[in-house]
Amino acid sequence: MVMKSWLARRSQDSDRGDGSGPVLIHALDGFLGAGSAARLAAAQLHSGQGEVIHEFDLDEMFDYRARRPMIGFRDNHYADYADPTLQIVLEHDANGEPYFLLAGPEPDFLWERFIGEVHDVIEEHNVPLTIGLGAVPMGVPHTRPTMITAHGTRPELIDRQNLWSASITVPSSAQSLLEYRLGQWGHDAAGYVVHVPHYLAQIDYPPAALALIDALADRTGLSVDVEPLRARQDDALKEIEQQIEDQGGTSLLSGLEEQYDAFTRGAAQSLLASDEELPSGDELADQFEQFLARQRKNDQG
């Protein structure tokens, strides 16, 4: 197969360190998982036919009680247990271009060991660049263009202008620490964080996943089939609009749009509006989350 022949060629190549290997893309389901954007993006990058080049001992890294894996019950017995796995897989895009994909649950424990294993793979396979995909909830409306913040271990790795910038201290994640450590070790690492409307952070939000894949494709030239995501995006946006109309959230959305527009015009220095007459981001989020929670309850009932 093509995948094995590529690895065979690399194993015979004695020249290491020339940066001629595939890029490594990591999209972990965990802290940077607003709107399930990274997970949805990883699903489009994962063909199901790639070759596993490294598997982590997730049994020691996973908190089973915090994130209980699903198991089926059939009549009188348990069946269909969904084993949590975390792997680095060699994949190929539509044009046969190779790339490594690290996707799965974010480790709960042993972060430094996890990062050390990723580092070993990077050096063994001559990875020139590591790219992380993540998503965070922000005070942005779903009716405006999706905003992305780019980051990297060197200024030269930032390939787009960030509209939002700040010096803040935030809780770390396995992905952010991975990028930080790689920078310390002299490896190029970069990434994209998409801003997900905070009232949609707990549900699947395909537009954010599409934004991540578009940014990745622009940077790497990889050709990724995103038609399934585009179809889901259309359905998701229609459902969101319907929920907002049914629950009387139009005026709240208008306030959030005003904040966003003021920010993009340069009239504000943060995504929280300075106009005291506008509702705060938290107030908007609380009210949107209430009607979305009711909708989810109705769907389950």
Side-chain angles (χ1 to χ4, degrees):
M1 295 177 64
V2 174
M3 293 176 292
K4 292 185 177 180
S5 63
W6 185 90
L7 286 176
R9 290 197 302 272
R10 292 303 303 162
S11 65
Q12 295 170 1
D13 186 1
S14 59
D15 182 15
R16 296 296 181 182
D18 61 356
S20 61
V23 298
L24 188 152
I25 304 160
H26 55 94
L28 302 181
D29 190 12
F31 183 70
L32 298 177
S36 301
R39 178 177 59 80
L40 293 173
Q44 295 304 123
L45 294 166
H46 183 55
S47 68
Q49 301 176 345
E51 181 178 1
V52 177
I53 66 165
H54 184 82
E55 181 157 0
F56 299 88
D57 185 1
L58 199 58
D59 193 51
E60 296 186 359
M61 300 179 178
F62 191 83
D63 187 345
Y64 287 89
R65 291 186 297 177
R67 295 187 285 177
R68 296 181 185 272
M70 302 304 292
I71 189 170
F73 188 81
R74 305 290 180 263
D75 297 327
N76 56 10
H77 66 283
Y78 290 104
D80 307 322
Y81 175 62
D83 295 86
T85 58
L86 184 59
Q87 302 169 332
I88 299 178
V89 180
L90 174 63
E91 296 281 1
H92 290 77
D93 74 352
N95 297 321
E97 191 68 24
Y99 60 90
F100 293 126
L101 177 63
L102 167 56
E106 177 188 19
D108 296 296
F109 310 111
L110 302 175
W111 280 8
E112 296 291 357
R113 193 174 84 181
F114 161 73
I115 291 169
E117 292 181 39
V118 176
H119 180 235
D120 289 343
V121 170
I122 289 172
E123 294 211 320
E124 179 183 356
H125 295 285
N126 211 15
V127 172
L129 177 66
T130 302
I131 303 175
L133 305 180
V136 295
M138 281 292 240
V140 294
H142 71 279
T143 52
R144 295 295 187 265
T146 304
M147 189 181 296
I148 281 184
T149 295
H151 50 85
T153 54
R154 294 187 293 114
E156 295 81 6
L157 296 175
I158 310 302
D159 65 339
R160 60 179 58 210
Q161 183 178 4
N162 291 330
L163 295 179
W164 184 87
S165 63
S167 296
I168 57 176
T169 300
V170 297
S172 62
S173 66
Q175 285 185 268
S176 59
L177 184 58
L178 171 61
E179 181 176 311
Y180 178 74
R181 289 285 186 247
L182 290 176
Q184 288 183 318
W185 297 329
H187 290 280
D188 283 345
Y192 304 102
V193 173
V194 62
H195 301 182
V196 175
H198 48 0
Y199 52 90
L200 301 174
Q202 301 303 316
I203 64 175
D204 288 358
Y205 187 58
L210 280 169
L212 288 176
I213 293 179
D214 287 344
L216 177 68
D218 287 344
R219 175 167 210 136
T220 63
L222 292 174
S223 178
V224 183
D225 179 17
V226 295
E227 288 310 310
L229 264 183
R230 292 199 188 281
R232 291 190 61 181
Q233 172 181 253
D234 294 341
D235 293 339
L237 291 176
K238 289 178 182 178
E239 183 178 353
I240 291 168
E241 293 292 344
Q242 187 63 51
Q243 290 181 20
I244 290 175
E245 183 178 348
D246 292 345
Q247 301 297 331
T250 305
S251 61
L252 298 176
L253 179 60
S254 297
L256 196 55
E257 289 171 339
E258 285 189 53
Q259 292 185 24
Y260 181 95
D261 293 341
F263 173 79
T264 56
R265 288 194 305 265
Q269 297 302 313
S270 74
L271 288 177
L272 296 179
S274 58
D275 188 342
E276 295 181 358
E277 295 181 359
L278 290 176
S280 72
D282 287 340
E283 290 171 340
L284 290 165
D286 289 343
Q287 295 183 55
F288 269 122
E289 286 171 356
Q290 287 175 19
F291 78 75
L292 288 177
R294 289 195 296 268
Q295 184 67 27
R296 289 194 295 269
K297 184 177 180 180
N298 291 337
D299 291 341
Q300 295 169 358

